Amino acid sequence: MNLLFVSHRRDVSGAEICTQRIVERIKDHRILVVLPEGAFADRLRQAGIAVETEAGLTKMARSEDAFAFLRLAGRFSGVVERLRRIIRRFDADLVISNALGPVPYAGPAARLAGVPNICIHYHPVLQPGTSDAKFVFFLAKFCDGFIAVSDAMNRGLQISGVPAAKIKTIYNGLDVADYMPSRDRSHLLRGKFSLDDSVKLIGLVATISEAKGHHVVIEAARLLRDEFPALAPWRFVFVGAVFENSMLGAAYQTRLEQQIRKHGLQDRVLFAGKHKNMREVYLDLDIVLNTSVEPEPLGTTIYEAMAMGKPVIASHVGGSAEIVDDGRAGFLVPAGDSRELAMLLAKMLQGQIDLAPIVAAGRTRVEACFDLRSTVEQYLMHFAACSKKRSRANLAS
C-alpha cells in the first residue's frame, strides 16, 4: 500500500510522537507524510521518513487570532488542490489525517483524487449538541472512517453523531524494549537543578497548556509544603514547553510563574523545558503525573512512565482510566482536585503505600495492552480494509 499521512502540526506533542512510532515501523509499504515545516518535519526526516511540506496546513478551528479563520479560508482551495496533486502523484491508496486539524483539507483533496481517507481521532467530546460535537460531526462528513485511540474517543465520536460502524478503536503503543525499567538515574534533571538523589522528583511531562493542569500541581505543591512539612525532600518539575507561537500557552505560563511566586514555591516547582530523550527524563523521576483537567485521548506519558517502572498518578478523565488500573497499576484522582493529589502524594512520600507491586503491574499492563507491534498490526489491517472498501466501490460504480 501507498499510505499518505497528513498533519497540521509544526511542533511535537503526544499525537505526533505516536504517529512517528507507527510510520517508522511500517515495513513493505510506501509512506509519505505531508505537513508544515517545523520540529515535527525535522524529526521525521531524521528518522528517514519521506516528508513533503505544505505551509497552508494550519488548524482551521479554535484559532487564537480572530482573523485567522478568514485568512485560512482564503487559501483553502489552493491547499486542497496542492494536496490533491500530491495524492495523485504519490498514487496513494489511503489518506490518513493525524487528528481533526488537517481533515478540512485532506478530506476534500482525497475525495477529489478518488482515494479513501480516514482520521486518527484525538478530540474528546463529552456532551451531545455542544459546539464541539457539531464541529466533529461536520468534519466527519469528509472522512470515510475514524481510528479512535481509546474507547473514550470512540464514545465521543458516537456522541457527535458518527455511526459506530465508521469507528475502529486502536490503542497507541510503544516499543516496550526501548522503555525498560532501571534503578540507575540519568541525572538529566537533577544535574540541571543541582539536586541529589535524596530528593523525590515528581514530574509532569506535558505541553504547557491550561488543559494539562499545571496550576493543579502548583496548588498541590503548596498543600504538601504547608500541611505535610515532615515529608522527605521533594521537588516538582515541569518537563515540556509552550507550543510554538501559542499566545494562549505563553499567557498560561506567565500565570503559572505568578502562582509560583505568590506562594513562594520558586525552589519547589521547576521548569525544565523540552527534552527529546524521554527515557532519560523518566529515569530521573520518582513519580510521574498526568493532571489533565480536560479529557486525555490516551495519555502517552502515562503508559511510557508505567513501562519505565514509575508510579503514575493520572486524572480520571478521558482515556486515562483505560491505561491505569486504579490502586493496582497506578492511581487515578479527580481532575482538578489538588487536595486529593496532595494527599495521595503525601502517602507515597511517607512510604505508606507499597509501590513495588504497583509499578510491576503497570509494566505488565503496558506489555499486554500497549505494545507497538500489536498497534502497527491493527493499523495495517484496518488500512487494508479501508482501501479495499473504496476499490470495491469504484468497481461497482
Side-chain angles (χ1 to χ4, degrees), residues 153-200:
M153 297 303 101
N154 192 318
R155 290 191 296 272
L157 283 167
Q158 293 186 57
I159 286 172
S160 301
V162 179
K166 291 183 68 173
I167 312 165
K168 171 75 172 177
T169 297
I170 303 176
Y171 286 151
N172 290 325
L174 51 75
D175 190 334
V176 293
D178 290 341
Y179 284 79
M180 294 295 293
S182 172
R183 293 181 180 273
D184 297 330
R185 294 195 185 279
S186 66
H187 292 97
L188 177 69
L189 303 173
R190 292 169 194 274
K192 180 181 180 70
F193 299 111
S194 301
L195 301 173
D196 61 39
D197 287 357
S198 68
V199 176
K200 297 296 184 182

Short mmCIF file of all heavy atoms in Angstrom, two decimals, residues 153-200:
data_model
loop_
_atom_site.label_atom_id
_atom_site.label_comp_id
_atom_site.label_asym_id
_atom_site.label_seq_id
_atom_site.Cartn_x
_atom_site.Cartn_y
_atom_site.Cartn_z
N MET A 153 -12.58 8.08 23.22
CA MET A 153 -12.68 8.85 21.98
C MET A 153 -13.72 8.24 21.05
O MET A 153 -14.42 8.94 20.32
CB MET A 153 -11.32 8.90 21.29
CG MET A 153 -10.23 9.61 22.08
SD MET A 153 -10.63 11.32 22.53
CE MET A 153 -11.13 11.12 24.25
N ASN A 154 -13.85 6.91 21.08
CA ASN A 154 -14.88 6.23 20.29
C ASN A 154 -16.27 6.71 20.72
O ASN A 154 -17.11 7.07 19.89
CB ASN A 154 -14.74 4.72 20.46
CG ASN A 154 -15.56 3.92 19.47
OD1 ASN A 154 -16.71 4.25 19.20
ND2 ASN A 154 -14.99 2.86 18.94
N ARG A 155 -16.48 6.73 22.05
CA ARG A 155 -17.78 7.19 22.55
C ARG A 155 -18.03 8.64 22.17
O ARG A 155 -19.16 9.03 21.83
CB ARG A 155 -17.83 7.03 24.07
CG ARG A 155 -17.89 5.58 24.54
CD ARG A 155 -18.20 5.50 26.01
NE ARG A 155 -17.15 6.08 26.84
CZ ARG A 155 -16.08 5.43 27.29
NH1 ARG A 155 -15.92 4.15 26.99
NH2 ARG A 155 -15.19 6.03 28.06
N GLY A 156 -16.98 9.47 22.21
CA GLY A 156 -17.13 10.87 21.84
C GLY A 156 -17.56 11.04 20.40
O GLY A 156 -18.38 11.91 20.08
N LEU A 157 -16.99 10.24 19.52
CA LEU A 157 -17.40 10.29 18.12
C LEU A 157 -18.87 9.92 17.96
O LEU A 157 -19.62 10.55 17.21
CB LEU A 157 -16.53 9.36 17.28
CG LEU A 157 -15.12 9.86 16.95
CD1 LEU A 157 -14.26 8.73 16.40
CD2 LEU A 157 -15.18 11.00 15.94
N GLN A 158 -19.29 8.89 18.67
CA GLN A 158 -20.69 8.47 18.58
C GLN A 158 -21.62 9.53 19.18
O GLN A 158 -22.71 9.77 18.66
CB GLN A 158 -20.87 7.12 19.27
CG GLN A 158 -20.15 5.99 18.55
CD GLN A 158 -20.45 4.64 19.15
OE1 GLN A 158 -21.61 4.23 19.26
NE2 GLN A 158 -19.41 3.92 19.57
N ILE A 159 -21.19 10.16 20.27
CA ILE A 159 -21.97 11.28 20.83
C ILE A 159 -22.14 12.38 19.79
O ILE A 159 -23.18 13.03 19.71
CB ILE A 159 -21.27 11.82 22.09
CG1 ILE A 159 -21.44 10.84 23.26
CG2 ILE A 159 -21.81 13.20 22.48
CD1 ILE A 159 -20.63 11.20 24.49
N SER A 160 -21.11 12.57 18.96
CA SER A 160 -21.17 13.61 17.92
C SER A 160 -22.04 13.22 16.75
O SER A 160 -22.26 14.04 15.85
CB SER A 160 -19.75 13.91 17.42
OG SER A 160 -18.93 14.35 18.48
N GLY A 161 -22.49 11.97 16.71
CA GLY A 161 -23.36 11.54 15.63
C GLY A 161 -22.68 10.68 14.58
O GLY A 161 -23.30 10.35 13.55
N VAL A 162 -21.41 10.32 14.79
CA VAL A 162 -20.71 9.46 13.84
C VAL A 162 -21.17 8.02 14.06
O VAL A 162 -21.14 7.53 15.19
CB VAL A 162 -19.18 9.56 14.02
CG1 VAL A 162 -18.47 8.66 13.03
CG2 VAL A 162 -18.72 11.02 13.85
N PRO A 163 -21.58 7.31 13.01
CA PRO A 163 -22.03 5.92 13.18
C PRO A 163 -20.92 5.03 13.73
O PRO A 163 -19.75 5.15 13.32
CB PRO A 163 -22.42 5.50 11.76
CG PRO A 163 -22.65 6.78 11.02
CD PRO A 163 -21.72 7.78 11.62
N ALA A 164 -21.28 4.13 14.62
CA ALA A 164 -20.29 3.24 15.24
C ALA A 164 -19.56 2.41 14.19
O ALA A 164 -18.39 2.06 14.37
CB ALA A 164 -20.98 2.32 16.25
N ALA A 165 -20.23 2.09 13.09
CA ALA A 165 -19.62 1.26 12.05
C ALA A 165 -18.44 1.96 11.37
O ALA A 165 -17.61 1.29 10.73
CB ALA A 165 -20.67 0.87 11.01
N LYS A 166 -18.36 3.29 11.48
CA LYS A 166 -17.27 4.03 10.85
C LYS A 166 -16.06 4.21 11.78
O LYS A 166 -15.09 4.85 11.40
CB LYS A 166 -17.76 5.42 10.41
CG LYS A 166 -18.74 5.42 9.27
CD LYS A 166 -19.11 6.83 8.84
CE LYS A 166 -17.95 7.56 8.20
NZ LYS A 166 -18.36 8.88 7.65
N ILE A 167 -16.13 3.62 13.00
CA ILE A 167 -15.10 3.88 14.00
C ILE A 167 -14.43 2.57 14.41
O ILE A 167 -15.11 1.57 14.66
CB ILE A 167 -15.69 4.54 15.26
CG1 ILE A 167 -16.60 5.72 14.89
CG2 ILE A 167 -14.58 5.01 16.20
CD1 ILE A 167 -17.47 6.18 16.04
N LYS A 168 -13.12 2.59 14.50
CA LYS A 168 -12.34 1.45 14.98
C LYS A 168 -11.43 1.95 16.11
O LYS A 168 -10.67 2.90 15.92
CB LYS A 168 -11.50 0.88 13.84
CG LYS A 168 -10.48 -0.18 14.26
CD LYS A 168 -11.13 -1.50 14.57
CE LYS A 168 -10.07 -2.59 14.78
NZ LYS A 168 -10.69 -3.88 15.15
N THR A 169 -11.50 1.32 17.28
CA THR A 169 -10.61 1.69 18.38
C THR A 169 -9.32 0.89 18.28
O THR A 169 -9.34 -0.33 18.22
CB THR A 169 -11.27 1.41 19.75
OG1 THR A 169 -12.43 2.23 19.88
CG2 THR A 169 -10.31 1.74 20.88
N ILE A 170 -8.20 1.62 18.24
CA ILE A 170 -6.87 1.00 18.28
C ILE A 170 -6.02 1.82 19.25
O ILE A 170 -5.80 3.01 19.03
CB ILE A 170 -6.20 0.97 16.90
CG1 ILE A 170 -7.07 0.24 15.87
CG2 ILE A 170 -4.82 0.30 17.00
CD1 ILE A 170 -6.50 0.25 14.45
N TYR A 171 -5.56 1.19 20.31
CA TYR A 171 -4.70 1.89 21.26
C TYR A 171 -3.35 2.21 20.62
O TYR A 171 -2.78 1.41 19.87
CB TYR A 171 -4.44 1.01 22.49
CG TYR A 171 -5.59 0.90 23.44
CD1 TYR A 171 -5.75 -0.25 24.22
CD2 TYR A 171 -6.53 1.91 23.61
CE1 TYR A 171 -6.80 -0.39 25.11
CE2 TYR A 171 -7.57 1.79 24.48
CZ TYR A 171 -7.71 0.64 25.24
OH TYR A 171 -8.75 0.51 26.13
N ASN A 172 -2.82 3.39 20.95
CA ASN A 172 -1.44 3.69 20.62
C ASN A 172 -0.53 2.78 21.45
O ASN A 172 -0.97 2.20 22.45
CB ASN A 172 -1.11 5.15 20.92
CG ASN A 172 -1.79 6.10 19.95
OD1 ASN A 172 -1.95 5.77 18.78
ND2 ASN A 172 -2.19 7.26 20.42
N GLY A 173 0.72 2.70 21.06
CA GLY A 173 1.64 1.85 21.79
C GLY A 173 3.06 2.34 21.71
O GLY A 173 3.36 3.36 21.10
N LEU A 174 3.95 1.62 22.35
CA LEU A 174 5.38 1.93 22.31
C LEU A 174 6.17 0.63 22.22
O LEU A 174 5.65 -0.46 22.47
CB LEU A 174 5.81 2.75 23.52
CG LEU A 174 5.46 2.28 24.93
CD1 LEU A 174 6.30 1.12 25.38
CD2 LEU A 174 5.64 3.44 25.92
N ASP A 175 7.42 0.77 21.82
CA ASP A 175 8.32 -0.37 21.79
C ASP A 175 8.78 -0.62 23.22
O ASP A 175 9.62 0.11 23.75
CB ASP A 175 9.52 -0.08 20.89
CG ASP A 175 10.37 -1.31 20.63
OD1 ASP A 175 10.36 -2.21 21.49
OD2 ASP A 175 11.05 -1.35 19.59
N VAL A 176 8.19 -1.62 23.86
CA VAL A 176 8.44 -1.82 25.29
C VAL A 176 9.91 -2.11 25.57
O VAL A 176 10.40 -1.84 26.68
CB VAL A 176 7.54 -2.94 25.85
CG1 VAL A 176 6.08 -2.51 25.84
CG2 VAL A 176 7.72 -4.24 25.08
N ALA A 177 10.64 -2.64 24.59
CA ALA A 177 12.06 -2.91 24.79
C ALA A 177 12.87 -1.63 24.93
O ALA A 177 13.95 -1.63 25.54
CB ALA A 177 12.61 -3.75 23.64
N ASP A 178 12.35 -0.51 24.39
CA ASP A 178 13.04 0.78 24.49
C ASP A 178 12.76 1.48 25.82
O ASP A 178 13.38 2.50 26.12
CB ASP A 178 12.62 1.71 23.35
CG ASP A 178 13.16 1.26 22.01
OD1 ASP A 178 14.12 0.47 21.99
OD2 ASP A 178 12.61 1.70 20.97
N TYR A 179 11.82 0.96 26.59
CA TYR A 179 11.41 1.61 27.84
C TYR A 179 11.52 0.60 29.00
O TYR A 179 10.58 0.38 29.74
CB TYR A 179 9.99 2.13 27.73
CG TYR A 179 9.89 3.40 26.90
CD1 TYR A 179 9.91 3.35 25.52
CD2 TYR A 179 9.78 4.65 27.51
CE1 TYR A 179 9.83 4.50 24.75
CE2 TYR A 179 9.70 5.80 26.75
CZ TYR A 179 9.73 5.72 25.38
OH TYR A 179 9.65 6.86 24.63
N MET A 180 12.72 0.04 29.15
CA MET A 180 12.94 -0.93 30.21
C MET A 180 13.20 -0.21 31.53
O MET A 180 13.93 0.78 31.59
CB MET A 180 14.14 -1.82 29.87
CG MET A 180 13.92 -2.72 28.67
SD MET A 180 12.62 -3.94 28.96
CE MET A 180 13.39 -4.94 30.24
N PRO A 181 12.60 -0.69 32.62
CA PRO A 181 12.88 -0.09 33.93
C PRO A 181 14.35 -0.25 34.30
O PRO A 181 15.02 -1.19 33.87
CB PRO A 181 11.99 -0.91 34.88
CG PRO A 181 10.96 -1.55 34.01
CD PRO A 181 11.63 -1.79 32.70
N SER A 182 14.84 0.68 35.11
CA SER A 182 16.22 0.64 35.58
C SER A 182 16.32 1.35 36.91
O SER A 182 15.62 2.35 37.15
CB SER A 182 17.15 1.30 34.56
OG SER A 182 18.46 1.42 35.08
N ARG A 183 17.20 0.88 37.78
CA ARG A 183 17.44 1.55 39.05
C ARG A 183 18.38 2.74 38.89
O ARG A 183 18.51 3.58 39.78
CB ARG A 183 18.04 0.57 40.07
CG ARG A 183 17.08 -0.55 40.49
CD ARG A 183 17.73 -1.46 41.51
NE ARG A 183 16.83 -2.53 41.93
CZ ARG A 183 15.94 -2.41 42.91
NH1 ARG A 183 15.82 -1.26 43.57
NH2 ARG A 183 15.16 -3.43 43.23
N ASP A 184 19.06 2.80 37.76
CA ASP A 184 20.01 3.89 37.52
C ASP A 184 19.27 5.18 37.20
O ASP A 184 18.24 5.18 36.52
CB ASP A 184 20.93 3.54 36.35
CG ASP A 184 21.79 2.33 36.63
OD1 ASP A 184 22.12 2.10 37.81
OD2 ASP A 184 22.12 1.61 35.66
N ARG A 185 19.81 6.28 37.70
CA ARG A 185 19.27 7.59 37.36
C ARG A 185 20.08 8.20 36.21
O ARG A 185 21.28 7.95 36.10
CB ARG A 185 19.33 8.53 38.57
CG ARG A 185 18.43 8.10 39.73
CD ARG A 185 18.28 9.27 40.69
NE ARG A 185 17.53 8.92 41.88
CZ ARG A 185 16.20 8.87 41.95
NH1 ARG A 185 15.49 9.13 40.87
NH2 ARG A 185 15.60 8.56 43.08
N SER A 186 19.43 9.01 35.42
CA SER A 186 20.15 9.68 34.33
C SER A 186 20.80 10.97 34.80
O SER A 186 21.77 11.44 34.20
CB SER A 186 19.17 10.03 33.21
OG SER A 186 18.21 10.99 33.65
N HIS A 187 20.26 11.57 35.88
CA HIS A 187 20.69 12.88 36.39
C HIS A 187 20.54 13.99 35.35
O HIS A 187 21.17 15.03 35.46
CB HIS A 187 22.13 12.82 36.92
CG HIS A 187 22.25 11.97 38.17
ND1 HIS A 187 22.64 10.66 38.13
CD2 HIS A 187 21.99 12.27 39.48
CE1 HIS A 187 22.64 10.16 39.36
NE2 HIS A 187 22.23 11.11 40.19
N LEU A 188 19.69 13.73 34.37
CA LEU A 188 19.42 14.76 33.36
C LEU A 188 18.77 15.99 34.01
O LEU A 188 19.15 17.14 33.73
CB LEU A 188 18.51 14.19 32.28
CG LEU A 188 18.04 15.13 31.18
CD1 LEU A 188 19.21 15.51 30.28
CD2 LEU A 188 16.94 14.48 30.34
N LEU A 189 17.78 15.74 34.86
CA LEU A 189 17.07 16.83 35.51
C LEU A 189 17.76 17.25 36.81
O LEU A 189 17.86 18.45 37.11
CB LEU A 189 15.63 16.40 35.79
CG LEU A 189 14.82 15.96 34.57
CD1 LEU A 189 13.47 15.41 34.99
CD2 LEU A 189 14.64 17.11 33.59
N ARG A 190 18.21 16.29 37.58
CA ARG A 190 18.87 16.61 38.85
C ARG A 190 20.14 17.43 38.63
O ARG A 190 20.44 18.35 39.41
CB ARG A 190 19.18 15.31 39.61
CG ARG A 190 17.94 14.60 40.08
CD ARG A 190 18.20 13.19 40.59
NE ARG A 190 16.96 12.48 40.70
CZ ARG A 190 16.16 12.54 41.78
NH1 ARG A 190 16.52 13.24 42.83
NH2 ARG A 190 15.01 11.88 41.79
N GLY A 191 20.86 17.11 37.57
CA GLY A 191 22.05 17.89 37.26
C GLY A 191 21.71 19.32 36.89
O GLY A 191 22.41 20.26 37.29
N LYS A 192 20.61 19.49 36.17
CA LYS A 192 20.19 20.84 35.76
C LYS A 192 19.86 21.71 36.95
O LYS A 192 20.16 22.92 36.96
CB LYS A 192 18.96 20.72 34.83
CG LYS A 192 18.42 22.04 34.31
CD LYS A 192 17.19 21.78 33.43
CE LYS A 192 16.60 23.08 32.88
NZ LYS A 192 17.47 23.69 31.87
N PHE A 193 19.27 21.11 37.99
CA PHE A 193 18.82 21.88 39.15
C PHE A 193 19.65 21.62 40.41
O PHE A 193 19.26 22.05 41.50
CB PHE A 193 17.35 21.57 39.43
CG PHE A 193 16.43 21.93 38.30
CD1 PHE A 193 15.79 20.95 37.55
CD2 PHE A 193 16.23 23.26 37.95
CE1 PHE A 193 14.95 21.28 36.51
CE2 PHE A 193 15.38 23.60 36.90
CZ PHE A 193 14.75 22.61 36.17
N SER A 194 20.78 20.93 40.25
CA SER A 194 21.69 20.64 41.38
C SER A 194 20.96 19.95 42.53
O SER A 194 21.05 20.36 43.69
CB SER A 194 22.34 21.95 41.88
OG SER A 194 23.07 22.57 40.85
N LEU A 195 20.24 18.88 42.19
CA LEU A 195 19.51 18.10 43.18
C LEU A 195 20.19 16.75 43.37
O LEU A 195 20.57 16.10 42.39
CB LEU A 195 18.06 17.88 42.73
CG LEU A 195 17.22 19.13 42.47
CD1 LEU A 195 15.88 18.75 41.87
CD2 LEU A 195 17.03 19.94 43.74
N ASP A 196 20.33 16.30 44.62
CA ASP A 196 20.93 14.99 44.85
C ASP A 196 19.86 13.91 44.84
O ASP A 196 18.66 14.18 44.75
CB ASP A 196 21.76 14.97 46.14
CG ASP A 196 20.93 15.25 47.39
OD1 ASP A 196 19.78 14.76 47.47
OD2 ASP A 196 21.43 15.95 48.30
N ASP A 197 20.29 12.67 44.98
CA ASP A 197 19.38 11.54 44.84
C ASP A 197 18.39 11.40 45.99
O ASP A 197 17.42 10.63 45.89
CB ASP A 197 20.18 10.24 44.70
CG ASP A 197 20.86 10.13 43.34
OD1 ASP A 197 20.64 11.03 42.51
OD2 ASP A 197 21.60 9.15 43.13
N SER A 198 18.63 12.12 47.10
CA SER A 198 17.71 12.03 48.22
C SER A 198 16.40 12.78 47.96
O SER A 198 15.40 12.54 48.64
CB SER A 198 18.36 12.59 49.49
OG SER A 198 18.56 14.00 49.37
N VAL A 199 16.40 13.67 46.99
CA VAL A 199 15.22 14.47 46.67
C VAL A 199 14.26 13.64 45.81
O VAL A 199 14.67 13.07 44.79
CB VAL A 199 15.60 15.77 45.94
CG1 VAL A 199 14.34 16.54 45.53
CG2 VAL A 199 16.50 16.63 46.80
N LYS A 200 13.02 13.56 46.23
CA LYS A 200 11.99 12.89 45.43
C LYS A 200 11.53 13.84 44.34
O LYS A 200 11.01 14.93 44.63
CB LYS A 200 10.81 12.46 46.31
CG LYS A 200 11.17 11.45 47.38
CD LYS A 200 11.65 10.14 46.77
CE LYS A 200 11.92 9.09 47.85
NZ LYS A 200 12.42 7.83 47.27
#
